[in-house]
Amino acid sequence: MSSPEAVHSDKQLVSSQRIYLFIYLQQSLSSVKIKPGTNKVAPDFQLTKRRNNFGVPLETLAQEATQCQVPFVVTQMVEYLEMFGLDHVGLFRISGSVNKIKALKWKYDQGEKVDLINDGDIDSVASLFKLFLKELPVAVFPDNLHANLLKTFEDNKNHMAECTRYLKSLLSSFPKAHYSLFQFLSTFLLKVASHSEMNHMTLENLAIVFGPTLFQ
């Protein structure tokens, strides 16, 4: 039987592997084309099309998505953060207002109009975004696939071309809704990292924040 120290060490190793894999995937596999903002965070933007946007499988949300199978709640929050948060120091590391987070989540889950500009703030929207990912019933990287990703990365990380080819092959087996969200998220986080001189959120810092959530 493993000692508590050994178990803790193994958990730290897996955590480190996930962080490095997350960085590698973003740098090597994601699309980095960044589209101009579309100002979709305006108060008169469409109602959410459903109730209970949080804790709902991505496949269900993707059926009602209008942008590349990415849930509306995600695109609205990302557009707000791209508009106002890219130079915000500590983006995603500073907790937002508990009351604002609860109120915004309630509106999304009631299918009401959500006015992030007037009812939210950068840290609260960033916290709500992380909460959405955390409450997914199946993580962005599903359990039955992320172990293979980690093993492939560890076995081939010293051979960049082969590693990229193998990982792309594995990613192609992801459920479409999960892969679409990963691509969308990667593009956004790479944009956040490109402002790291101002926001202090390097790709490594972002991986520390999002790695555990994406590999639940």
Side-chain angles (χ1 to χ4, degrees), residues 38-81:
T38 54
N39 296 326
K40 291 182 180 178
V41 295
D44 61 349
F45 190 57
Q46 70 185 76
L47 290 168
T48 56
K49 295 182 179 180
R50 61 172 294 111
R51 292 172 180 251
N52 298 326
N53 284 274
F54 285 72
V56 177
L58 282 174
E59 289 82 0
T60 302
L61 296 175
Q63 293 174 5
E64 300 169 354
T66 58
Q67 184 172 336
C68 304
Q69 288 198 321
V70 177
F72 163 77
V73 60
V74 171
T75 59
Q76 189 182 29
M77 286 191 285
V78 165
E79 284 161 357
Y80 172 88
L81 293 170

Side-chain angles (χ1 to χ4, degrees), residues 29 140 168 171-172 174-184:
L29 306 179
V140 176
K168 279 184 176 179
L171 285 172
S172 68
F174 268 42
K176 176 63 176 175
H178 289 250
Y179 186 59
S180 295
L181 180 56
F182 168 66
Q183 286 188 308
F184 184 83

